[in-house]
Amino acid sequence: MLNNNGPRYKRSKLERKLNIDVIFCVILLFAMCLVGSLGHFVWLQKQPGVAPYLVADSNGHLDSPGLSAFYMFFTMIILLQVLIPISLYVSIELVKIGQIFFIANDIDLYDEETDSRVQCKALNITEDLGQIEYIFSDKTGTLTENKMVFRRCSIMGTEYAHKENAVRLTVLEEPEESEEDVIFNQQPRPAKTGWSLDAEDTNPEETQHHHGSRRKSKVAGNAQSDVAFSSPLETEVIPDRKLLQQISRAESSSGRSGSREMDPYLEFFLALTICNTVVVSMATAQRRRMSLFSRSHQASNPPDTMSGSLRRFFTSWQRKPKRNRTFSEDSVIEEDRFNPPVKTEGSGAISGLQTCSLHAPSQDGKPATTSDNLSYEAESPDEAALVYAAKAYGFTLMGRTPNSVTVSLPSGRELVFEVLDTLTFDSVRKRMSILVRHPITKEYVLYSKGADYAIMELLGTPYAEHLRGKQKSIAADTQHHLDCYAREGLRTLCFTKKVVSEKEYESWSVNRRRALAAMENREELTMDTAVQLETNLSLLGATGIEDRLQEGVPDTIVALREAGIQVWVLTGDKPETAVNIGYACRLLEEEDLVINMSCRNTLACTSILDCALEEVRRYSDDPRNVDTTPDISLVIDGHTLTMALSSDLQERFVELAKHCRTVLCCRVTPLQKSRVVKVVREKLKVMTLAIGDGANDVNMIQASDVGIGISGQEGMQAVMASDFAISRFKHLKKLLLVHGHWCYTRLANMIIYFFYKNVAYVNLLFWYQFFCGFSGTAMIDYWLMIFFNLFFTSAPPIMFGIMDKDISAEMLLGVPELYRMGQGAGEYNFKTFWISMLDAFYQSLVCFFIPYIAYRDSDIDVFTFGTPLNTISLFTILLHLSIEIKAWTVVHVVIILGSVAIFFIVTLVYSGICITCNPPSNPYWILQSQMADPIFYLICIITTVVALLPRYIFHVLRNSIAPSPLVQARHLDKLDPSTRSQWIKEWRSFRGGGQGRRSGLSTPPSPTLETPVVILPQSPTASDITGDEFTLNVITENYQRPLHT
């Protein structure tokens, strides 16, 4: 707890501006009190003698004019203290509670799949949602579903595409059926034991399915998907036939030779199974319900029927058009994890599709133990996907304890590995390792997995004793496969093995124990021991895992960009993967110039920043590019970002990033994420929002003005550290464009109105001081003054801040550009504040001097003069609010009329029962007498009209001559829904076809370094981020200009 600094306290931008304006009010109060003090001094000096109403002290002496003026200064502070809006802070909190209630109960922000709604964890920054200018987003789990699907792998330089599994995933993408519908619309088979590679022929006509069973299976599928990382999309993998045959040969040769050496293919899948932190547990209740449902169908679906149905499905899928594909989806039957259907190699003939059965005779006449009742609990979906992929090939993780890992091989044999140590993953090493004693070879073996750039540089000579000829090209071939995976948007991992000698292990173990026992620098020493052991690794292979985009992400990003929000993606993935995802979610457009920065030294980074900035300036200085912006996107890796954020290059990087529509930061650490957010927030003075779903996003979330956590599959760390929590990225669209706009405009207008209300009322007392010798006397009863702010005018502004709706949600979502009105200075700025203050001074002058002129030279007493002023002030303030209200509801009408009714009821009762409540004053029967006088009503009407006429005329002229986009949107809101929708559609199509000219940026000039500047006129899904010093890649679809030298 002593080392926990905690997150920084976040204050909204509106609150910071409010505090400054309160200081202005304090200065104004002191100025008014000073005027009152000096006025009292001058008034006393001009008295010819001692006034009879001046009371002397006990000694018969009067205070000097200077001392009386000094006392009067503090008297005026007490009298005019309402000018300081202390009650405004309480009203703001009440308004925010109401706004949060509406946000939390918005049905559009509810996610039925996870049964969760938006959570508002910070009550003080709701209005900041309407002023966001930069969004910093994580990728995995934020833009994507974080449902990892095993797609491809490369083992010992050979790539296995898993085409059958790709076909299955294509079926799952069909909009007619969900993934659970397809996967669970299959019947169970008796569990196989062991394995062998045989082909089975079945009759396709034996399998029949009905649509009714699909609905039942969907229930079971949804039940199973409640378990983290256990949806059918993640757990079901169809093995590659070629790889199955390779494993079969490796297993057979290892069994016949009796060698203590393990085949690299077997080692690869052992690494997948062992090198993780997955915990094995018994099946959950959801899985037990699934098994009960499955048993009811065993009799009608024998195993041999399933391969025929699968063959029929593949045949129909390849021969039928897409619209007819759904009829055969009922026949998608996948064999269990030990009996997977595969496709034969060759020309792709449909007749070659067969089913591989992995089984072996049971030993000793006893059935082997099945793994159907096992459930895997993983810290990340990547680990779960890899364990399930290994299980599909027969390598089943059976159990894990702190000291051992049990793995079942395809032959049915179980191996128990003694765990000697686990080198956990960290953001510096970018890898994890596990050191075990191999039960067969009795060797100390270190299995490692991690990012390719973190693994490749640690490789020794891989399997020189096993491979001949092409063994030297394994690393190069694997790297080529990794690059292909990244260009397809797959997440990549490399797996390695290292045999540690007993002497090396004993020496290392001593250092390890010493590091773990250290009292100082324990983390550094522990990391040093891990790095010491992770050297001269032997490459086994690599995997490609797909993480699909969430629903609605492209539309959300497009809407946010139209709203004037810059979207940055900060991810730990490879640049190629980030670029692929960028195009998929429309962060990058085909017309964009994508600048890929990858530098190895500071000099190269400086040159590329200077070149890019020079090109941006050249574009801006071109008179042909007036009112256009360059469509530039920047892709930068973590190493280059570290140099760009250094003190000498930070200004250049920020200047370049400011001119980019999108920035993708790849291979970044959590600390780099927070650093980027802080630099942009502090240098550009903009409102920032960070959104993520994992623990690695906590720093970024806390560093931003608004932090949003997504309650995904990687725990609740991001949610707990966030200000708001949502379940889907698409909810960000309405949260910002609708609720953010509403919250900001409501609070901004309410705060301005609150300042106006207090100044307009207090000034009545100030003007009266000019006619009472600046004596601090009030012409209104003190209790009525207290009731005015406490009861009569407190509820209307609160309801105004909670329920006013300037534009409908449909309009705000249909025209995202309206969000720009709240960015920057917004509606609550220096100009609007002082205009409101001047209006308050004008209205107070009117409300005071019109009754004063009407009652001048009459014999009314002071309270008879003050009661019309109090009534006129109430009408003026409430009608002023009525002009500002954009959307009238029953609540607004009831509150305003109720305030007027309460005023008259309380004042009449007070005047009727209070004879000498505040002696020597006597407010008895004042209002009753006034209401019997026609002049009272005439004065109230004339004064109120004259006071509000300038504001009303100003609104009419502004909305008629130069209407703002918000005013135009309100006019459209008055149309019927069909007409409004048609207008929005036509406007959007017109804007899409005729939006401003595209940038004609020329390619940045080559730096004065012997480093390549590559122009790649290729598909936007490809990028090349390699080079000796740095590489500047400009990617565009139909654009290429010569270099400027």
Side-chain angles (χ1 to χ4, degrees), residues 477-494:
D477 292 341
T478 303
Q479 184 62 58
H480 173 71
H481 297 153
L482 288 169
D483 294 339
C484 294
Y485 295 168
R487 292 189 182 99
E488 294 179 7
L490 303 182
R491 296 166 59 88
T492 57
L493 282 176
C494 290

Side-chain angles (χ1 to χ4, degrees), residues 22 215 257 319 370 407 422 501 572 590 783 832 840 851 854 881 883 926 959 987:
V22 169
R215 288 190 293 268
S257 63
R319 292 181 177 177
T370 64
V407 179
T422 301
S501 65
E590 294 184 359
W783 281 107
T832 56
L881 179 63
I883 295 175
I926 295 294
N959 296 343
W987 180 83

Side-chain angles (χ1 to χ4, degrees), residues 949-976:
L949 191 60
R951 172 162 288 270
Y952 182 78
I953 293 176
F954 171 75
H955 276 276
V956 171
L957 294 178
R958 185 185 64 177
N959 296 343
S960 302
I961 298 176
S964 65
L966 295 177
V967 174
Q968 298 176 4
R970 284 198 292 271
H971 291 164
L972 291 175
D973 258 341
K974 298 177 182 179
L975 303 176
D976 59 275

Side-chain angles (χ1 to χ4, degrees), residues 543-835:
T543 58
I545 298 177
E546 180 183 11
D547 189 10
R548 301 183 178 185
L549 280 179
Q550 292 184 19
E551 178 187 1
V553 168
D555 293 338
T556 301
I557 290 179
V558 169
L560 293 176
R561 293 173 66 170
E562 291 174 353
I565 301 176
Q566 302 286 343
V567 182
W568 290 30
V569 174
L570 313 179
T571 177
D573 288 340
K574 292 168 62 68
E576 295 90 347
T577 304
V579 170
N580 184 281
I581 295 297
Y583 282 107
C585 64
R586 299 192 64 182
L587 269 173
L588 304 176
E589 300 289 351
E590 294 184 359
E591 299 86 354
D592 290 354
L593 274 74
V594 182
I595 303 177
N596 291 338
M597 291 181 57
S598 180
C599 308
R600 296 185 180 180
N601 56 61
T602 305
L603 183 61
C605 186
T606 304
S607 299
I608 190 174
L609 287 175
D610 290 340
C611 295
L613 284 174
E614 179 63 27
E615 187 61 28
V616 170
R617 295 189 188 99
R618 185 184 298 116
Y619 177 87
S620 301
D621 295 339
D622 192 339
R624 296 172 299 177
N625 299 327
V626 178
D627 296 331
T628 62
T629 57
D631 295 339
I632 303 177
S633 297
L634 177 64
V635 180
I636 183 171
D637 61 17
H639 181 66
T640 308
L641 183 64
T642 300
M643 294 182 287
L645 293 179
S646 60
S647 58
D648 54 339
L649 297 180
Q650 192 176 104
E651 295 290 344
R652 305 179 194 180
F653 170 72
V654 173
E655 182 67 22
L656 176 61
K658 184 173 65 174
H659 292 88
C660 295
R661 293 203 312 170
T662 299
V663 177
L664 274 69
C665 301
C666 314
R667 295 297 195 193
V668 293
T669 64
L671 289 179
Q672 284 180 313
K673 290 183 178 182
S674 62
R675 181 79 188 284
V676 169
V677 175
K678 290 178 181 178
V679 167
V680 173
R681 178 169 57 86
E682 295 172 358
K683 295 295 183 180
L684 298 182
K685 306 298 181 183
V686 293
M687 293 294 295
T688 59
L689 180 147
I691 179 171
D693 73 316
N696 59 338
D697 303 316
V698 170
N699 292 337
M700 174 178 68
I701 289 174
Q702 293 179 344
S704 61
D705 294 293
V706 179
I708 295 184
I710 291 185
S711 52
Q713 304 189 64
E714 291 193 10
M716 300 295 290
Q717 293 94 331
V719 172
M720 296 300 294
S722 65
D723 305 307
F724 300 88
I726 57 180
S727 55
R728 299 290 179 187
F729 184 83
K730 65 179 181 180
H731 294 162
L732 193 63
K733 179 180 179 180
K734 187 172 186 181
L735 183 63
L736 295 184
L737 302 187
V738 178
H739 290 289
H741 173 83
W742 284 346
C743 289
Y744 172 73
T745 55
R746 289 166 176 172
L747 268 178
N749 292 328
M750 191 206 76
I751 290 174
I752 294 174
Y753 173 77
F754 223 100
F755 278 116
Y756 147 81
K757 175 176 73 74
N758 286 9
V759 172
Y761 189 70
V762 168
N763 276 357
L764 296 177
L765 303 176
F766 180 71
W767 304 134
Y768 182 69
Q769 302 307 308
F770 288 89
F771 300 93
C772 67
F774 297 95
S775 59
T777 305
M779 69 290 193
I780 303 172
D781 186 82
Y782 288 116
W783 281 107
L784 293 180
M785 290 172 57
I786 295 174
F787 291 156
F788 191 88
N789 281 319
L790 186 62
F791 297 125
F792 306 153
T793 60
S794 60
I798 293 177
M799 286 299 103
F800 175 58
I802 294 177
M803 303 193 66
D804 192 38
K805 185 186 299 183
D806 58 344
I807 306 175
S808 66
E810 292 77 10
M811 235 6 240
L812 290 172
L813 293 175
V815 187
E817 286 82 354
L818 296 174
Y819 183 85
R820 298 171 184 258
M821 305 302 296
Q823 294 175 335
E827 296 185 13
Y828 178 38
N829 50 51
F830 183 86
K831 177 181 176 181
T832 56
F833 171 76
W834 285 108
I835 288 178

Side-chain angles (χ1 to χ4, degrees), residues 1007-1025:
T1008 56
L1009 295 172
E1010 294 185 359
T1011 53
V1013 178
V1014 184
I1015 309 300
L1016 300 176
Q1018 56 184 347
S1019 171
T1021 59
S1023 62
D1024 184 14
I1025 316 236

